[in-house]
Amino acid sequence: EELSTHSCASWRPIHLQINYLIIMLSSCFVRVARRSAASAPAATMAARRSMAAAAAPSTVVSSSFNDGPPSVFDKIVKVTIIDPSGARRIIPAMVGQTLYAACDLNGVDLGPSSSGPPQEKVRSTTWTEPLYGEGAASGFDHVLLQGGNEGVEIVEPAHDNEKKMIEEYWDADEIFPESRLASQVEINAKMDGMVVYVPDRIVDDIP
């Protein structure tokens, strides 16, 4: 009995000490949790401010993008057509298509056209690649390109077959340095504002 009483008496203080330590630790955890919760919004805001400051330079938009995304209209030029009567008409032409195709799509009658693959292709100032195509096969679509236009200056020059067709279909007094076949002229971006004169049609419906 005495041993049992002594054991209980010695156990109680230890038990109370353990409970006291548990309570103290719990209160410490609660205080730490409250402080963390109170400082979390401030830390979050600070982090957001830091991220915004770091990203600020990347938000500067280049002036090249001020006009919006690329559009099909960036590839369209305006060409002025002058018919034999002197009447003017402005038509749209897509970069990369032929002048004949642009006129045909816009109701400008240049007569029939017969053309095969190109004879050759100028790749650089020092290299012209032979493609062995037949090129122009008729000369009805004769036009005069405006001299001095930047796009006309850089367009691929007439090949021998095109010159031959013009000479076969048109008289000497109707041929000029600006003479080209519309089916052999490829539209480029520098041709915006180019003027094209369409001479009188030659008869093409004789059986």
Side-chain angles (χ1 to χ4, degrees), residues 28 64 72 83 88 91 97 116 135 156 164 190 196:
C28 288
S64 60
V72 67
D83 66 19
R88 290 172 174 260
I91 65 170
Q97 71 178 166
E156 190 163 330
K164 180 181 178 181
K190 300 294 185 180
V196 178

Side-chain angles (χ1 to χ4, degrees), residues 6-160:
H6 178 72
S7 299
C8 290
S10 62
W11 172 255
R12 281 178 185 173
I14 295 175
H15 178 68
L16 291 175
Q17 289 178 12
I18 292 175
N19 287 341
Y20 177 76
L21 289 175
I22 292 174
I23 292 172
M24 291 296 293
L25 289 174
S26 299
S27 62
C28 288
F29 288 145
V30 170
R31 284 197 296 270
V32 171
R34 286 177 179 174
R35 289 176 182 174
S36 300
S39 62
T44 302
M45 291 299 296
R48 288 179 177 174
R49 291 193 191 100
S50 300
M51 292 174 64
S58 64
T59 60
V60 178
V61 180
S62 173
S63 59
S64 60
F65 295 97
N66 289 341
D67 297 332
S71 168
V72 67
F73 294 104
D74 298 335
K75 297 296 184 181
I76 295 178
V77 299
K78 293 180 180 179
V79 178
T80 300
I81 306 294
I82 304 179
D83 66 19
S85 68
R88 290 172 174 260
R89 178 182 175 189
I90 298 177
I91 65 170
M94 184 76 70
V95 173
Q97 71 178 166
T98 64
L99 177 59
Y100 186 91
C103 290
D104 187 52
L105 287 172
N106 290 279
V108 178
D109 187 8
L110 298 180
S113 172
S114 179
S115 177
Q119 291 178 292
E120 55 189 14
K121 184 70 174 179
V122 177
R123 302 299 184 184
S124 70
T125 56
T126 58
W127 178 43
T128 298
E129 180 184 8
L131 300 176
Y132 307 105
E134 61 184 53
S138 67
F140 292 108
D141 52 321
H142 176 216
V143 294
L144 302 176
L145 304 183
Q146 172 193 11
N149 178 273
E150 187 177 356
V152 175
E153 298 295 332
I154 63 175
V155 75
E156 190 163 330
H159 300 305
D160 293 339

